Amino acid sequence: AAKAVTKSVTTSTGVRSKRRTTTPPASSTAPAVRPAVSAARAPRIEIKPPEPNDAVLTREKAKLILTGLGFNEVYLNSFVPATADPEPFAAQDSLIGPENPLSADLKYLRPSLTPNLLVAAAANARSGNEARLFEVGNVFTAADGARPIERSVLGIVLAGKDRGVFFALKGVVMELVRGLGIGDAVVTDARIRGRTAARIETAGRKCGLLALM
């Protein structure tokens, strides 16, 4: 408890007066002591790392490989205009879109990454530079009486004035599949819609397509 102390003070005129002061208790400035918490009552936090996702790991590895080969990643619109031609990478009748599109330029969900990648490459080529672009994104195609089919795919475009860009891109793809550890990938030359093209197959399944646009 606080203690009251009375002191007598003599002024310059010889009159004695009394002053009362209060001394705070010594314990008011002492730190509070917290009771010890037993180990059994202490809170415990357990953090588990996420399970590895093979699709995510493959996608990130592909990005690193392409970036190391001089390509730039782009993020393009998920919609394509009504004039977009998705072939030969997707069928024209696979186009789907909202009932009330915002504009003619946003009429369909992209069935392929190619149309928007070609637009981006053309913009780069006009500046006189070789365009080396890639994108990882979802594409959407129509399904009979069911929800649209959504897939995650990789699109690569190499544009330049050199007539050998197709074979240069073919070499990039071979470097990519080797880097991803796809040892059984086979690239077969083909002609699609009169274009120089090549099919990429692994384990007997088509997994990619190259075409000179």
Side-chain angles (χ1 to χ4, degrees):
K3 296 181 179 180
V5 180
T6 302
K7 295 182 180 180
S8 297
V9 180
T10 303
T11 63
S12 58
T13 59
V15 179
R16 296 176 64 81
S17 63
K18 294 182 178 181
R19 294 181 180 177
R20 186 180 180 88
T21 60
T22 302
T23 303
S27 61
S28 62
T29 57
V33 178
R34 297 182 178 178
V37 179
S38 65
R41 297 177 56 191
R44 296 181 179 179
I45 300 176
E46 184 177 358
I47 301 176
K48 293 183 178 180
E51 295 293 331
N53 187 313
D54 291 340
V56 173
L57 294 176
T58 301
R59 181 173 65 233
E60 295 304 314
K61 189 172 183 180
K63 290 182 180 182
L64 288 175
I65 294 172
L66 290 172
T67 302
L69 293 173
F71 284 78
N72 296 308
E73 184 178 9
V74 293
Y75 301 90
L76 304 175
N77 205 313
S78 296
F79 288 85
V80 294
T83 56
D85 182 7
E87 296 188 15
F89 299 95
Q92 187 71 33
D93 58 4
S94 66
L95 292 172
I96 56 173
E99 294 182 0
N100 299 305
L102 296 176
S103 68
D105 290 335
L106 303 173
K107 188 170 183 179
Y108 297 112
L109 287 166
R110 60 186 182 185
S112 166
L113 301 181
T114 307
N116 289 341
L117 275 172
L118 290 176
V119 172
N124 280 267
R126 281 195 293 269
S127 63
N129 299 321
E130 181 184 63
R132 302 171 71 89
L133 309 175
F134 75 92
E135 182 182 17
V136 178
N138 293 345
V139 296
F140 309 85
T141 52
D144 295 335
R147 297 180 60 184
I149 299 173
E150 181 177 357
R151 297 178 296 118
S152 180
V153 299
L154 166 66
I156 309 172
V157 62
L158 175 60
K161 297 179 180 180
D162 187 351
R163 294 178 59 88
V165 290
F166 174 79
F167 302 100
L169 183 57
K170 190 175 177 181
V172 168
V173 171
M174 294 303 298
E175 187 72 22
L176 176 63
V177 296
R178 279 195 295 265
L180 293 176
I182 308 175
D184 59 348
V186 177
V187 180
T188 306
D189 293 335
R191 295 287 295 181
I192 300 176
R193 296 180 65 190
R195 300 177 186 273
T196 300
R199 293 186 177 90
I200 308 168
E201 297 181 352
T202 176
R205 294 179 55 190
K206 187 179 77 171
C207 63
L209 177 68
L210 282 73
L212 183 64
M213 305 299 290

